[in-house]
Amino acid sequence: MSKFKFEKLLIWQKAMDLGEDVNLLIENFPKKEIYNLSSQLLRAIDSVALNISEGSIGQSNPEQNKFIGYSIRSLAEVVTCLHKANRRNYITQNQFEKYYDESFYLMNMMLAFRKNLK
């Protein structure tokens, strides 16, 4: 049962799922990255869903548009972190492609959602 508006949003649900998957992914990163790439990736992926929910509570479309913009930028940061993890061989090419594709799909969903707010 959903009591909050954002819980019904498919973009929020997908962002939550991706966030949990990425959280599991970073468990295999080297310990030296705990305060660097691991932390950055976790904060960025969590920020996607957090900003979607925060924006949905706003009273206006421009306010929600602003927070969706923050989510989009956070997701771009996630993609960059995935590239870094792949280059450093912390993840396999298959893992990279999986999360890259999921990020691309979510990005397009958020862009379409934002376009409908205007």
Side-chain angles (χ1 to χ4, degrees), residues 6-22 45 48-49 52 75 99 102-103 105-107 109-110:
F6 61 84
E7 294 173 308
K8 296 176 181 116
L9 295 174
L10 188 56
I11 56 171
W12 180 81
Q13 294 167 12
K14 294 289 185 190
M16 290 291 289
D17 291 343
L18 184 57
E20 296 313 303
D21 289 346
V22 167
I45 194 62
V48 177
I52 291 168
L75 188 55
Y99 294 110
E102 288 181 22
S103 296
Y105 178 70
L106 179 55
M107 178 72 73
M109 288 177 65
M110 289 191 300

Side-chain angles (χ1 to χ4, degrees), residues 3-4 13 27 50 88 92 98 112-113 116:
K3 294 186 178 185
F4 293 92
Q13 294 167 12
E27 287 182 1
L50 290 167
R88 294 174 186 175
T92 66
K98 177 185 186 293
F113 182 84
N116 287 327

Side-chain angles (χ1 to χ4, degrees), residues 70-88:
Y70 295 153
S71 291
I72 289 167
R73 288 189 284 280
S74 291
L75 188 55
E77 189 176 340
V78 167
V79 171
T80 300
C81 288
L82 290 172
H83 276 286
K84 288 192 164 291
N86 190 40
R87 287 177 175 215
R88 294 174 186 175

